[in-house]
Amino acid sequence: MGDLVPEGSTLQADVTAEIHPGHIVAVVLDARGPFRELSGMLETSSSLGVVKLYLGKTETAAGEGVFLLGQLNPPVVFAVPIASMVAMHRIVARVGEPSQDGPEDAAALSAQLDMMSPFLCQSEATAPVGPDWRPVDLDALIRSTTQTLEQANA
C-alpha cells in the first residue's frame, strides 16, 4: 500500500465497522476460484490475506456482485467476486509503526491515490464480510499442540 501503510506496520481491524469507498480494508480471499493462481504466493490457511483500498461495490455485465479493491504501488484495481470474499474488515488503527528509513514521498503517494480516483464507486456503505472470521493464532496452536504431546508422553 505504498506510504499509506508502510511495510511492516501492525494494523487493527474492526469486524463491526461499516466500510465506505476510500477506506483501507483487510481482506481474506478464498484461494479457490479466480484467485487460485495467487494462492501459491500468499497462502495462509487456504485463504489469501491482504490489505487493500476499498473502492466500492458494483456488478459485472452478467449481474455478479463484485467488490473493487485497489493497491497503490503499483496502482492496480482488482475486481473481486463477492462469492470469493471470505472476510473484509475495515482497518481502524495502526498499533505499531515500522522504523522509517527515510522521509515519505508525499508527491508519489498523492499521485498513487489520484490513480485510484476514477475507480471510486459512489456506493452505499458495505457491511463487514465474515465478521466471525479470525486469523489462526499460530502461537496458541503451537502451545496447545506442545501441551497435548507432553501430556501424551507423560
Side-chain angles (χ1 to χ4, degrees):
M1 290 298 294
D3 287 334
L4 193 58
V5 180
E7 189 174 331
S9 295
T10 302
L11 306 173
Q12 179 182 354
D14 183 340
V15 300
T16 63
E18 286 188 332
I19 303 166
H20 294 271
H23 283 154
I24 299 171
V25 292
V27 297
V28 179
L29 306 172
D30 191 329
R32 298 167 294 225
F35 296 97
R36 68 182 169 273
E37 297 298 323
L38 291 174
S39 65
M41 291 184 273
L42 298 171
E43 186 164 358
T44 309
S45 303
S46 300
S47 57
L48 303 174
V50 292
V51 175
K52 296 292 179 213
L53 184 64
Y54 178 71
L55 301 170
K57 181 179 174 183
T58 189
E59 290 184 354
T60 66
E64 182 175 10
V66 296
F67 291 122
L68 294 179
L69 303 174
Q71 70 180 36
L72 299 180
N73 190 12
V76 176
V77 175
F78 300 92
V80 180
I82 292 171
S84 294
M85 185 77 66
V86 174
M88 181 170 65
H89 304 148
R90 190 172 99 203
I91 299 297
V92 293
R94 287 188 204 147
V95 294
E97 290 293 327
S99 61
Q100 297 293 326
D101 294 332
E104 293 182 9
D105 188 346
L109 178 58
S110 179
Q112 291 166 343
L113 289 169
D114 187 53
M115 291 295 293
M116 291 294 110
S117 65
F119 303 100
L120 282 169
C121 297
Q122 297 301 320
S123 60
E124 296 179 12
T126 298
V129 176
D132 295 328
W133 182 90
R134 298 293 184 277
V136 174
D137 183 348
L138 292 177
D139 291 334
L141 182 62
I142 290 169
R143 282 191 303 273
S144 172
T145 304
T146 301
Q147 288 174 352
T148 302
L149 291 173
E150 288 172 349
Q151 291 172 355
N153 288 334

